[in-house]
Amino acid sequence: MYVGLRVVIFLLFNDTNTYDALESVGFGIFQWKISLLTGLSWIGDAMEMMILSILGPQLHCEWSLPGYQVALITSVVFIGMGFSSPVWGNVSDKYGRKIGLTICMCWTLYYGLLSAFSPLYGWLLGLRGLVGFGIGGAPQSVTLYSEFLPVKARGICITLIGAFWSLGAVFEVLLALWVMPTLGWRWLLGLSAAPVAVFVCFCYWLPESPRFDVQSGHKEKAIATLARIAEDNGKTLPQGTLVDYKQNDRGHIKDLFTPQYWRTTLLLWFIWFANAFSYYGIVLLTTELFQAGDLCGVTQGAKSEPQCRSECKYLTSDDYKDLLWTTLAEFPGLLVILLAVDYLGRKKSMAIFCFSYAETAAYSNGDALQAFISGGYQVVFIYTPEVFPTEIRALAMGTSSAVARIGALITPFVAQVMLRTSVPFTLSVYCSCSLLAGIASLILPIETCGRGLQESSVIQETGGQTATSRQPNGTTPSMVQ
């Protein structure tokens, strides 16, 4: 049993919990409003990440940077994200999802704008690293959003939140197509912070998760939020008294490695790593190959092997248009997710996307690669908050995101450095990583499709099985590892 857990159940004729209340009020106007607001943070996150594939080639030419320094511009952002993601997760589990998300977005906005005024390479590197520290908290928008959703709507709705990421990537390419030929990269950096600025202006409306309020002992706040949801959706709350689960000791890394979660944690960490490594790899590969142009394809002795030299070439309008089409390829993947996650389940969906990416990598089809890996990435964003309980959900998202940033940190040295030595070997690295991620997806212990979010992992534990929140049919599912 966790130290500091106090469970108080009011023994009236009808008692209820946040699961029952959220199922009763369903999906409606309130969820649409919160999806738009959390989606803004996701758009801002995507734009700050997509800009890396545009900024690198530009500064490679403008500042005459060698390949490793170009790669560092990308990697330093992921270093910041890797350090900060567990921090934001811990803050969100201890002090609230709203507080964690709001602070990290304010941080991102401030340093995102400052980086546009960087006079030297060292300044740019430091400020973009601080931007990375801020956007390391962006996954907490998914944690917050998931805790307002009824079971049947959760898979589709989190997928649609993922569509905001794809929109952000598309907006960034369109912005670059407009800004780069005339105003330059500094204006691009400044204007890319606009969605985050809009989020910061409207974040006062954002409510705290009622699940978090119940866990932290603020039952009255949870009831007020649930009443607000019911009013917006035109529904009524169930009669009775809200069950109060107060946990004072929350958000510790060791809680991810209890007997019921250690295997899930380790497998998910690798899947997050592989998805980030492969996703950002194909994004960077696309612009690198555009920039290389005819510089790829050098004959070495009697053996011809594709290779790329590090000569400078500015991205053209045609390159940006090609990048736009590659980015738009993410949307078919989202459509497939909508059909797959609630029919095939989360585990099989992740595996199918990973295997498809691995097979397609052999044919160097950039559009298809981005569609498959973005699909797999979205499913893991659905699965992770579903499989962990409220007490460690934000921490699980934060640590998983941190591990993903390690993959994203490594990938520039593969996509931007190794590529210049051997294109086939570079693609084989991405293929192998994605193949292993598909296998890891299939051996995950828990399928979360149709399963209610857990409030606590210590309500009941017997022989490796842990009871979770009640399901629509009144049963209590168990997790077996």
Side-chain angles (χ1 to χ4, degrees):
M1 299 288 287
Y2 287 89
V3 177
L5 176 68
R6 177 173 62 87
V7 180
V8 181
I9 303 179
F10 294 87
L11 299 176
L12 299 178
F13 181 76
N14 287 320
D15 65 346
T16 188
N17 56 26
T18 51
Y19 171 84
D20 297 320
L22 289 168
E23 290 298 310
S24 297
V25 298
F27 184 90
I29 293 173
F30 177 88
Q31 281 82 3
W32 280 115
K33 290 192 292 187
I34 200 170
S35 67
L36 289 174
L37 190 53
T38 53
L40 277 173
S41 67
W42 220 222
I43 289 175
D45 181 15
M47 293 181 73
E48 292 291 351
M49 300 309 300
M50 192 65 187
I51 200 174
L52 298 175
S53 64
I54 298 166
L55 190 61
Q58 179 71 21
L59 294 182
H60 175 50
C61 294
E62 188 172 321
W63 286 358
S64 302
L65 300 178
Y68 77 93
Q69 287 189 336
V70 174
L72 275 174
I73 295 173
T74 301
S75 293
V76 74
V77 176
F78 294 122
I79 291 172
M81 296 172 75
F83 278 112
S84 71
S85 292
V87 174
W88 296 123
N90 188 263
V91 169
S92 298
D93 272 336
K94 287 182 177 293
Y95 304 106
R97 283 57 162 132
K98 177 180 178 178
I99 290 176
L101 184 59
T102 300
I103 294 175
C104 79
M105 287 294 106
C106 290
W107 181 291
T108 301
L109 175 62
Y110 180 72
Y111 287 106
L113 291 174
L114 275 185
S115 65
F117 299 96
S118 302
L120 300 169
Y121 174 77
W123 277 94
L124 180 68
L125 214 59
L127 290 172
R128 294 311 293 177
L130 290 170
V131 171
F133 192 92
I135 57 180
Q140 299 309 325
S141 62
V142 178
T143 304
L144 176 65
Y145 184 56
S146 68
E147 293 181 347
F148 286 100
L149 297 172
V151 171
K152 290 183 179 180
R154 196 167 58 234
I156 293 175
C157 290
I158 297 179
T159 301
L160 292 176
I161 280 291
F164 282 100
W165 170 278
S166 300
L167 283 173
V170 170
F171 288 162
E172 185 63 33
V173 178
L174 290 173
L175 186 62
L177 181 61
W178 171 54
V179 169
M180 289 298 286
T182 54
L183 300 175
W185 62 269
R186 295 182 187 276
W187 277 92
L188 183 64
L189 285 178
L191 292 174
S192 296
V196 179
V198 176
F199 173 87
V200 170
C201 290
F202 289 96
C203 66
Y204 69 88
W205 177 88
L206 197 65
E208 184 54 83
S209 163
R211 293 178 183 271
F212 172 81
D213 280 335
V214 168
Q215 282 277 320
S216 55
H218 301 139
K219 190 175 71 170
E220 293 77 12
K221 291 183 179 180
I223 293 172
T225 302
L226 291 169
R228 175 180 169 187
I229 300 172
E231 181 181 1
D232 280 0
N233 291 356
K235 301 291 182 64
T236 57
L237 288 172
Q239 297 297 314
T241 303
L242 188 65
V243 176
D244 180 16
Y245 301 99
K246 182 179 179 182
Q247 180 152 351
N248 297 318
D249 193 20
R250 305 184 302 274
H252 297 290
I253 293 287
K254 64 182 176 62
D255 298 339
L256 298 173
F257 293 94
T258 55
Q260 67 266 39
Y261 289 122
W262 69 267
R263 186 178 168 194
T264 297
T265 297
L266 293 177
L267 287 171
L268 267 180
W269 280 4
F270 176 73
I271 294 168
W272 276 77
F273 170 91
N275 273 281
F277 178 78
S278 302
Y279 178 86
Y280 293 111
I282 191 58
V283 170
L284 294 172
L285 274 172
T286 301
T287 53
E288 283 296 309
L289 292 172
F290 287 160
Q291 189 185 39
D294 294 333
L295 301 176
C296 294
V298 177
T299 300
Q300 296 180 327
K303 182 179 178 181
S304 178
E305 180 179 353
Q307 190 181 40
C308 297
R309 301 196 301 273
S310 58
E311 296 180 21
C312 167
K313 177 179 178 292
Y314 286 98
L315 296 179
T316 65
S317 295
D318 288 339
D319 293 333
Y320 288 123
K321 291 174 184 177
D322 290 338
L323 183 60
L324 176 62
W325 285 115
T326 302
T327 306
L328 287 170
E330 295 187 15
F331 288 97
L334 294 174
L335 293 176
V336 175
I337 296 172
L338 291 174
L339 298 174
V341 289
D342 287 331
Y343 294 96
L344 297 178
R346 292 12 173 182
K347 292 167 53 177
K348 289 181 180 178
S349 297
M350 281 189 283
I352 288 172
F353 282 115
C354 289
F355 291 146
S356 298
Y357 179 94
E359 182 178 0
T360 310
Y363 301 99
S364 307
N365 188 327
D367 292 351
L369 284 171
Q370 193 148 345
F372 288 133
I373 199 60
S374 64
Y377 217 161
Q378 294 304 331
V379 180
V380 78
F381 266 102
I382 297 171
Y383 182 87
T384 305
E386 289 182 333
V387 78
F388 291 100
T390 300
E391 62 206 22
I392 55 172
R393 186 171 295 123
L395 180 64
M397 285 291 289
T399 54
S400 297
S401 180
V403 174
R405 304 315 162 190
I406 297 174
L409 169 66
I410 296 170
T411 204
F413 296 95
V414 178
Q416 294 177 316
V417 180
M418 185 185 293
L419 178 72
R420 306 185 191 286
T421 302
S422 173
V423 175
F425 184 69
T426 299
L427 292 174
S428 69
V429 170
Y430 290 111
C431 177
S432 301
C433 188
S434 187
L435 185 64
L436 292 173
I439 295 171
S441 300
L442 290 176
I443 61 176
L444 282 166
I446 305 165
E447 174 56 68
T448 60
C449 184
R451 179 174 176 266
L453 294 184
Q454 303 170 92
E455 303 297 345
S456 174
S457 61
V458 291
I459 297 174
Q460 180 183 347
E461 184 178 329
T462 307
Q465 297 183 344
T466 302
T468 63
S469 58
R470 286 176 288 174
Q471 301 296 294
N473 60 5
T475 63
T476 304
S478 62
M479 298 184 306
V480 183
Q481 294 216 122

